[in-house]
Amino acid sequence: MADEEQIHQIDGTVEHIIYKNEVNGYVIVELNCSGELVTATGELGDVEEGERLALYGEFVSHPRFGPQFRAESCERKLPNTTESIRRYLASGVIKGIGEVLAGKIVDVFGGRTLEVMEHDPMKLMEVRGMTQKKCEEVAAEAKHIFALRGVISYFEAYGIKSRYAMRAFRVWGEQCRDKLEENPYLLCHEEVGLGFRAVEEFARELRIPKESGYRVGAGILHILRHNLTLGHTCLPLDRLAETAIRFLEISEQGFYDAYQQQRREETIFEYKKAGSDREFVYLKEYYDAERFITDRIGVMRDFGARDNRNFDDMIAQTEKESGMTYAELQKEAIRSALSRGLLILTGGPGTGKTTTLNAIISCFEREGHNVLIAAPTGRAAKRVSDLTGYDAKTIHRLLEVQFDPAGIQKFSHNEENPLKCDVLVVDEMSMVDVLLFSHLLRAIRLGCRVILVGDSDQLPSVGAGNLLQNLIVSGCMPVVALKEIFRQAQQSVIVTNAHRIVHGEMPDLLRKDNDFFFFHRTDFEQAASLLVDLVVRRLPAAPQYKFDPTHDIQVICPSRRGTLGVVELNKMLQARLNPPAADKAQVRSPLYEFREGDKVMQTKNNYDITWTKDGENGEGIFNGDIGHIRTINRRRGEAIIDFEGRITVYPTMMMEQLELAYAITVHKSQGSEFEAVIIPLLGKFEKLSYRNLLYTAVTRTKRLLIIIGTPQKIEQMVQNNRRTNRYSCLRDMLEQSLNPTEKPHDADDPASIFD
C-alpha cells in the first residue's frame, strides 16, 4: 500500500462500470464525486451502478488509460434515496430484477427497499406481478449479494482490505465469516495471501489462544515460507521446532501436535537423507519440485538418446565452417551433447564455453533439430543472444507465464502443452532455482535433449535451492567442465585473476599494464572519492577507453549499506553525473530523488507494463533490467524510460519499483556483463565476505576491472570458501535415484534460519 501521507479518500456514486472481473472482483468504474467523474480501479467486489462508495488509495497515471484512482480499500454505502435505489436495482445487481421491476419495488417500499430485501425479502410479494417463485429466486440472489457486502464490511472493520475479503469470499462463500472467525489463519491461504503477521492482529482481536493448532500450523508454514527467501527449500525438523517454539512462544508439545496435523493434511512433507536420522521438512510445492526434478531426470536419462555414431566428421566440418580448432574437452562436450539426452557444460571465463555452445547448436541444426535457448533473466537472455547470434528468451517468456485471480504464477507450457523443440539450451544455470527448473522440465517432451550451461563457481540463485551445484555433484547427468584457459584469454589479467580466486589463490594486485587494476585505500571517504573520480572523470577521459560513465561503467558492491554500499554511492554518483538543474524534472521515491537522465534498475518483475521497440510492442520489465530516464512529466504523473531500446511509460507511483543503478549489488549483477567494472572492497560485511561472491563480481566485466580496498580484505574473501549454505535434499534424492545404497554425506547447516 502507499505510504500513509500519500493515501487519499474520495466519495461518490458509481455512474458507470467500465470493466468487471467476476472471478477476482477487480473493477474499473466511473465515480461521480460531487459532479466530477473520476476513473477508479481496484479489487472492490460486486459494485454496481448507483452504489455509493468511499475509496481509499492514491491517484496514479496508467500507461495506457491515463489518470485514475487506484483504490486499496473501500467502504460501501448503499444508496439511500429512492432514485439512487431505483437505479441501483435497475443495474442488474440482483438477477431477475430489471428496470421495470426495480421501479415497481421502489414505488412500494421507497427508501426502505434495500432494508426489506435484506431482512424480509418475502415482503416483495406485495409488489404487483411478483409471484412466490420469483420472490424466492430474488431472495436467494439478494442473500448472496448482501452476504458478500457483509463480509467485506466486517473485515474492513478489522483493517483487512476488501481485496482479501473478496478473495476469501470467493474461496469459502457465504460461510466465509464463520470459517474465519473459527480459524482466522485461513487468510494466510495461498488463494487469499494475507501475511501471517497481519493475521496475528486479527486473531488477537478474536482472542485465538497462542497454542491454538490453527495458529501454530500457520506459524510453521510462515517460517518455512520465510526461509525460502533465504535460499532453503526445506528445514531440519529440529531447527524448525526450535525456531517455531521461540518465535510463536509456544510449548514443545504445542509445536509437535500442530506439526503432525500439518503432515496429515499434507501441507508439509518430511524427507530423510540416506544414512541419517534427521528429518527435513518441506512445503508441498518445494517437496514436489525436488521430487519431480529427480524423477524426470531419471526418466530422461533412461529415455534419452544413446547415439553411438562417431561425431568426429561433424565436429571437423563445424571447425572448418567456424574457423575454430576445438580443444579435446570441447570436443568431448560436443560429442556428449549429440549422443546423450542430458549435459551440463560448465567452466570459468576464457575456457571456451560460448565457442563450445555455438558448435553444439550448429551441429544440432545441421541434423535438422529445432533448438530453443533460454536464460533466467532478460539481461542474461540478451547476453547469450549477443554471444551466440541465436535468439534467446527468458524462461518465464518461453513457458508463457500467466497469473490466476489470486496473483499465483502459472505457465501455459506444461505436460499437457509441451514446448515444440528437440533441443533446449539453458544458459546461466547458476541463477535458476529448483521451482522454476521443475516447471521447465514439465514443459519439455521426454525425448528433448537438454543442455545446461553455467559457471558453478558463481553465486547460487536468488530463489531457493542450490540447483546447479546439486546437479553436478550428484553425478545424475554427464558433466563437462572446461578448465583450459585459451591463449588469447591468458593475456587478460581479469581472466587469470578470476581463476586464481576460484582456486583459493590471491589475485595479482601489482600489474598496472593490462585490464586489472588495484588501488590500495584504507579510508572509506578517500576510497569513495577515488571511485567517484574514476567514474566521472578519469576513465571517460582516458584515450584508450573513452568509456561513457553511465552506459559503459558499472560500480558493483558486495553490500547495500555503508559509505561504500550501493545506496550511498548511488547518491554520490548521481550528484556528480546528473546533478539537479532548473530545466531538469525530478520525482521523489522512498529512497531516491529520480531525475531525467538517471540510470535506473527495475527491482521486481512487472509482467504488465508495456513497451515499444523498433515499431514492435511487448510486455514486461523484469527484476535487474537497467534503463535510463528520458523524460519526467510531473503534470501527467509519468516518466518515459528507455530499457536498452524498449521504451516504456511509467506512472510516477510505479517508480517505487526502481532504484538508481550507477552502483548495484553483486547479486543484481548476475547474468550481466559490462565494459568496465569498479568494485569497492573495504569494510566488514562479514556475511558477504566469501570467495564465490568476489569471483562473481570479478567475472562481470569485459574490458576493465578496478578494485579499490585492501589486500587483507581480498585475501579474507579468497580464503573464505564457505559457499552459501542452503538446506536442500535434492542432491541426496538424485544420488539415491542413481544408487540407492545408503551413503551418508555431510549436510549443510546454516547458522541462522530466521530473522
Side-chain angles (χ1 to χ4, degrees):
M1 189 168 179
D3 294 338
E4 291 299 322
E5 63 268 24
Q6 296 176 310
I7 296 175
H8 301 283
Q9 176 184 349
I10 61 172
D11 299 83
T13 303
V14 179
E15 287 288 325
H16 179 56
I17 296 174
I18 300 171
Y19 171 80
K20 178 189 288 187
N21 186 316
E22 300 289 350
V23 179
N24 64 8
Y26 180 83
V27 296
I28 305 174
V29 301
E30 283 187 339
L31 206 64
N32 187 334
C33 302
S34 302
E36 180 184 355
L37 287 181
V38 176
T39 302
T41 68
E43 289 184 42
L44 307 178
D46 288 332
V47 299
E48 299 295 341
E49 292 178 6
E51 187 173 1
R52 294 186 302 140
L53 302 176
L55 302 180
Y56 301 87
E58 60 182 336
F59 288 98
V60 301
S61 179
H62 190 278
R64 287 184 185 173
F65 306 117
Q68 53 188 228
F69 188 83
R70 185 177 68 181
E72 293 283 350
S73 61
C74 77
E75 293 177 9
R76 283 177 162 70
K77 301 177 181 181
L78 288 175
N80 57 0
T81 66
T82 54
E83 182 53 39
S84 61
I85 292 171
R86 187 192 310 273
R87 187 174 173 210
Y88 175 63
L89 293 178
S91 70
V93 60
I94 296 177
K95 188 177 178 182
I97 298 180
E99 188 172 346
V100 174
L101 186 53
K104 291 181 179 180
I105 294 172
V106 174
D107 287 344
V108 173
F109 298 106
R112 297 176 50 245
T113 298
L114 297 180
E115 181 184 345
V116 169
M117 294 183 73
E118 182 174 8
H119 300 294
D120 195 4
M122 296 310 292
K123 287 191 74 173
L124 295 175
M125 292 280 290
E126 297 176 17
V127 177
R128 182 168 53 86
M130 182 74 87
T131 65
Q132 180 173 345
K133 181 180 179 183
K134 180 77 169 176
C135 189
E136 289 171 351
E137 290 173 354
V138 168
E141 184 69 15
K143 180 183 177 185
H144 178 83
I145 296 296
F146 285 113
L148 172 57
R149 295 177 182 284
V151 165
I152 291 173
S153 298
Y154 171 75
F155 286 116
E156 286 191 336
Y158 287 99
I160 297 172
K161 295 173 186 174
S162 55
R163 71 165 71 125
Y164 299 112
M166 178 69 194
R167 293 173 188 174
F169 190 84
R170 187 180 66 242
V171 177
W172 295 291
E174 293 176 18
Q175 284 112 41
C176 173
R177 178 171 167 177
D178 292 338
K179 281 184 170 291
L180 292 173
E181 283 185 337
E182 177 190 355
N183 178 13
Y185 293 94
L186 288 172
L187 288 167
C188 298
H189 192 281
E190 185 181 44
E191 291 186 7
V192 180
L194 189 59
F196 178 80
R197 286 185 168 90
V199 176
E200 284 273 75
E201 296 179 21
F202 178 41
R204 277 194 290 271
E205 294 280 348
L206 297 177
R207 302 193 176 171
I208 302 296
K210 277 191 173 182
E211 296 272 336
S212 162
Y214 296 139
R215 176 178 182 266
V216 179
I220 291 170
L221 299 180
H222 170 68
I223 292 168
L224 290 170
R225 288 191 194 103
H226 172 82
N227 277 275
L228 295 174
T229 67
L230 304 180
H232 308 299
T233 63
C234 59
L235 292 179
L237 176 55
D238 55 334
R239 298 293 302 276
L240 174 62
E242 175 190 340
T243 303
I245 290 167
R246 183 179 67 253
F247 173 65
L248 299 172
E249 298 177 338
I250 56 172
S251 66
E252 185 175 356
Q253 186 63 47
F255 167 80
Y256 281 103
D257 287 347
Y259 173 76
Q260 293 302 335
Q261 180 61 32
Q262 293 299 315
R263 285 194 66 198
R264 287 190 290 271
E265 293 175 5
E266 296 190 342
T267 60
I268 58 177
F269 288 80
E270 272 188 8
Y271 180 86
K272 283 187 179 181
K273 290 186 178 181
S276 170
D277 292 330
R278 204 178 194 192
E279 299 95 347
F280 290 82
V281 185
Y282 282 88
L283 291 169
K284 182 180 188 304
E285 187 177 24
Y286 282 83
Y287 178 79
D288 288 347
E290 293 200 348
R291 290 283 358 164
F292 183 83
I293 290 169
T294 301
D295 296 341
R296 179 53 64 98
I297 286 177
V299 172
M300 292 177 72
R301 190 172 56 233
D302 296 336
F303 189 87
R306 289 292 189 278
D307 195 331
N308 295 318
R309 282 183 294 159
N310 187 327
F311 292 101
D312 289 346
D313 289 344
M314 186 181 294
I315 293 172
Q317 179 65 23
T318 305
E319 285 181 318
K320 182 178 179 181
E321 291 175 357
S322 64
M324 297 283 191
T325 300
Y326 303 129
E328 188 50 46
L329 267 180
Q330 290 179 300
K331 292 179 180 179
E332 181 185 330
I334 298 167
R335 291 189 200 100
S336 187
L338 295 171
S339 63
R340 307 290 294 275
L342 299 163
L343 172 69
I344 294 175
L345 176 64
T346 185
T351 58
K353 282 203 309 291
T354 301
T355 301
T356 308
L357 179 58
N358 279 333
I360 290 170
I361 295 171
S362 177
C363 288
F364 275 127
E365 289 193 329
R366 186 180 293 114
E367 293 271 277
H369 294 302
N370 180 29
V371 181
L372 292 180
I373 306 175
T377 67
R379 291 186 67 82
K382 182 179 184 302
R383 178 172 172 268
V384 71
S385 288
D386 292 343
L387 290 172
T388 64
Y390 294 92
D391 185 43
K393 295 181 178 179
T394 66
I395 297 173
H396 285 82
R397 281 297 178 211
L398 188 71
L399 299 181
E400 296 182 21
V401 65
Q402 297 177 337
F403 294 88
D404 70 8
I408 299 169
Q409 184 174 267
K410 307 288 183 183
F411 294 103
S412 295
H413 289 289
N414 50 36
E415 294 97 326
E416 286 74 38
N417 181 30
L419 293 165
K420 292 181 173 63
C421 65
D422 305 306
V423 181
L424 177 65
V425 176
V426 186
D427 195 27
E428 295 289 354
M429 269 298 296
S430 63
M431 300 174 67
V432 179
D433 61 70
V434 297
L435 199 58
L436 184 57
F437 190 59
S438 71
H439 285 297
L440 189 60
L441 290 182
R442 290 178 192 277
I444 58 176
R445 296 176 294 103
L446 288 176
C448 180
R449 316 282 185 94
V450 177
I451 314 298
L452 307 178
V453 184
D455 187 341
S456 60
D457 292 310
Q458 289 187 24
L459 292 170
S461 60
V462 174
N466 200 348
L467 177 66
L468 181 59
Q469 189 71 16
N470 288 160
L471 292 175
I472 291 172
V473 298
S474 68
C476 67
M477 63 177 74
V479 178
V480 176
L482 301 176
K483 299 175 182 177
E484 179 186 351
I485 306 175
F486 288 96
R487 183 175 302 167
Q488 184 177 353
Q490 288 176 2
Q491 308 306 311
S492 166
V493 182
I494 295 172
V495 170
T496 56
N497 274 343
H499 285 271
R500 282 173 174 267
I501 290 167
V502 113
H503 291 108
E505 302 171 9
M506 273 292 286
D508 182 354
L509 305 180
L510 299 178
R511 286 187 63 175
K512 303 287 186 181
D513 61 345
N514 205 285
D515 53 8
F516 184 111
F517 295 89
F518 172 71
F519 290 89
H520 189 175
R521 294 292 186 276
T522 57
D523 179 82
F524 285 86
E525 300 296 336
Q526 290 180 5
S529 177
L530 170 62
L531 183 148
V532 171
D533 191 46
L534 284 165
V535 174
V536 174
R537 185 183 63 84
R538 291 171 62 172
L539 292 181
Q544 68 270 42
Y545 300 126
K546 296 183 180 178
F547 289 135
D548 181 286
T550 58
H551 287 86
D552 296 331
I553 303 172
Q554 185 61 61
V555 176
I556 298 179
C557 310
S559 175
R560 290 180 58 81
R561 301 175 182 174
T563 306
L564 294 174
V566 164
V567 176
E568 291 303 315
L569 285 177
N570 266 320
K571 291 177 180 178
M572 284 187 253
L573 288 164
Q574 182 196 41
R576 291 285 303 278
L577 291 169
N578 195 26
D583 61 345
K584 191 180 296 181
Q586 58 186 38
V587 62
R588 183 179 296 278
S589 79
L591 192 58
Y592 297 113
E593 190 91 34
F594 294 116
R595 302 185 188 114
E596 291 175 340
D598 271 334
K599 182 179 181 180
V600 293
M601 173 181 278
Q602 177 77 7
T603 60
K604 61 184 290 188
N605 290 337
N606 187 324
Y607 296 91
D608 299 322
I609 193 164
T610 58
W611 49 260
T612 60
K613 182 178 182 179
D614 300 329
E616 294 185 5
N617 298 323
E619 293 184 345
I621 299 294
F622 304 107
N623 187 359
D625 284 353
I626 292 177
H628 291 80
I629 300 175
R630 283 190 174 184
T631 62
I632 295 173
N633 189 321
R634 292 181 60 85
R635 183 179 58 80
R636 296 178 60 181
E638 63 186 31
I640 295 176
I641 305 177
D642 181 348
F643 287 94
E644 297 180 327
R646 292 172 295 160
I647 310 302
T648 65
V649 180
Y650 268 55
T652 52
M653 63 84 189
M654 214 169 72
M655 292 179 74
E656 64 188 21
Q657 297 180 13
L658 300 172
E659 289 188 356
L660 291 177
Y662 302 103
I664 62 176
T665 63
V666 179
H667 287 84
K668 290 288 188 184
S669 74
Q670 278 187 274
S672 302
E673 274 191 339
F674 308 95
E675 293 296 314
V677 167
I678 303 176
I679 308 172
L681 293 180
L682 195 61
K684 293 187 177 179
F685 53 89
E686 298 302 330
K687 291 183 179 179
L688 297 169
S689 295
Y690 48 91
R691 185 187 300 170
N692 63 342
L693 185 133
L694 175 60
Y695 173 75
T696 301
V698 165
T699 54
R700 296 308 88 206
T701 187
K702 296 179 184 177
R703 294 175 56 194
L704 178 68
L705 176 67
I706 295 174
I707 295 180
I708 302 171
T710 66
Q712 292 80 7
K713 188 63 188 180
I714 295 172
E715 184 174 18
Q716 178 194 2
M717 297 181 76
V718 169
Q719 295 304 318
N720 183 4
N721 197 28
R722 179 193 63 81
R723 289 181 175 271
T724 306
N725 292 328
R726 296 181 168 193
Y727 287 120
S728 167
C729 299
L730 179 60
R731 172 184 171 182
D732 189 79
M733 292 178 185
L734 291 166
E735 288 176 344
Q736 292 308 304
S737 74
L738 284 170
N739 179 13
T741 304
E742 292 192 357
K743 46 179 182 179
H745 55 256
D746 294 335
D748 291 338
D749 195 12
S752 173
I753 64 170
F754 198 72
D755 292 338

